[in-house]
Amino acid sequence: MMDKLSDDNCPVYRWRRIDDPAGPQPRPRHGHRAVAIKDLMLVFGGGNEGIVEELHVFNTATNQWFIPTLKGDIPPGCAAYGIVVDNTRVLIFGGMVEYGKYSSDLYELQASKWEWKRLKPKPPRFGSPPCPRLGHSFTLIGNKVYLFGGLANSGGDETKPTPSYKYLDDFYTLELKSGHTTVWDMPGTYGGLPSPRESHTACSWTDEYKNTKLIIYGGMSGNRLSDLFMLDINSMTWQKPQILGPQPLPRSLHTACVIGDRMFIFGGWVPILKDESRSLHEKEWKCSNQLACLHLPEMTWEDLSVEVTDDFLPKPRAGHCASVINSRMYIWSGRDDYKKAWNNQVCCKDLWYLEVEKPGPPGRIQLVRAATNNLEICWPGHPIADSYAIY
């Protein structure tokens, strides 16, 4: 059964909440990240009354959480870090390890044996490796990870209540070679680089001509942003495309997932509208549960309809995680109030998914046995289909 309730020209979506999943459920948090390996969603780090160092795994096929037994160079807890997955190899970089203290460490998790290893990448041939930071983007395309921006401590005493910060616009690649070898580079690019920012999102998308793009959207740079930049990986050229349709509000600490030719944006901090003219109050913000969708081939924000009953809509949140498994976008936890102190948040503890494409057809139906009054048949099902109608 699908949760996209109408045709592609006028999509209406319904969220589904996963109630009472089995296994040891993780503590609610924000600033964590998630990646998918087959049917598994791996969730690491984040913060709520301290930085979290746990790794939890949710099996979407069985709706069950479990905590794997880890070995090796287990990283300290961190929040707002970068994470990518390449088959069963997970890499995390940077993030906040203590309040006001950021990391530039790189760790690798071999999920096939749940073993961590701290890596020491080679520095760029010209220039310095990335400085410690949080809120950066970290995106895998081919055998390279693309690092952009983030927030750095600009010097001074990190223990002060209000340390000095700097928004970054630096751009690196991390080449993944055989074994555990990794190499930083600072590639030259053309066009206008995105402005400095943190808590933005970055996704990769390959168009019909096999050109792969890195898409940077939104973020924070003193105020929330709503701009979008694309980097053509072949030519290493940045562009700021003209986008049509009803533009979402500026935001940070949101999530973005590409499924097919669409980029789905959910949640984050958005400005409070002062009046019906949509003028923004730059000093007042709230968490959002808005779902927005950018049709990438036409660069058009689609006018989505979403069921808005309490049973079918996640609460507003920011700093949550999102992961795509099959054609479902899963979200978990996140903070639901921006006014409280960083280490004293009210965090959501619910798990939801959104079906964004029709499930594929089942496999070939086979006859098991037949009798006068009954017929037994079987077929290989589709992992995201809840039920089938037989005519």
Side-chain angles (χ1 to χ4, degrees), residues 274-292:
K274 294 171 64 175
D275 49 49
E276 293 183 357
S277 67
R278 290 177 64 89
S279 59
L280 308 179
H281 196 301
E282 290 291 333
K283 294 184 179 181
E284 294 187 18
W285 305 88
K286 64 178 181 180
C287 289
S288 170
N289 60 354
Q290 180 191 24
L291 176 70

Side-chain angles (χ1 to χ4, degrees), residues 165-306:
Y165 300 115
K166 178 183 179 181
Y167 295 101
L168 302 173
D169 64 351
D170 51 357
F171 181 64
Y172 288 85
T173 60
L174 179 71
E175 185 177 2
L176 310 182
K177 297 191 173 184
S178 59
H180 302 286
T181 303
T182 52
V183 182
W184 287 114
D185 189 21
M186 302 178 69
T189 60
Y190 305 93
L193 195 72
S195 59
R197 66 192 64 205
E198 58 101 3
S199 297
H200 54 284
T201 54
C203 298
S204 67
W205 171 66
T206 302
D207 64 20
E208 61 179 321
Y209 304 106
K210 307 303 180 183
N211 295 318
T212 300
K213 319 282 188 178
L214 174 69
I215 305 171
I216 304 288
Y217 173 72
M220 175 71 173
S221 184
N223 59 286
R224 270 76 188 178
L225 304 170
S226 61
D227 51 2
L228 183 146
F229 292 82
M230 297 181 69
L231 175 70
D232 185 290
I233 298 302
N234 291 331
S235 65
M236 294 300 285
T237 301
W238 289 99
Q239 61 173 316
K240 190 175 182 181
Q242 181 180 3
I243 303 177
L244 306 175
Q247 183 176 347
L249 291 172
R251 65 193 59 224
S252 64
L253 290 171
H254 54 288
T255 54
C257 298
V258 170
I259 304 178
D261 284 334
R262 288 176 166 88
M263 182 174 72
F264 291 87
I265 304 292
F266 179 75
W269 281 352
V270 301
I272 295 175
L273 299 179
K274 294 171 64 175
D275 49 49
E276 293 183 357
S277 67
R278 290 177 64 89
S279 59
L280 308 179
H281 196 301
E282 290 291 333
K283 294 184 179 181
E284 294 187 18
W285 305 88
K286 64 178 181 180
C287 289
S288 170
N289 60 354
Q290 180 191 24
L291 176 70
C293 176
L294 179 65
H295 185 249
L296 296 168
E298 298 179 358
M299 280 291 140
T300 301
W301 290 107
E302 296 183 332
D303 190 8
L304 297 184
S305 295
V306 181

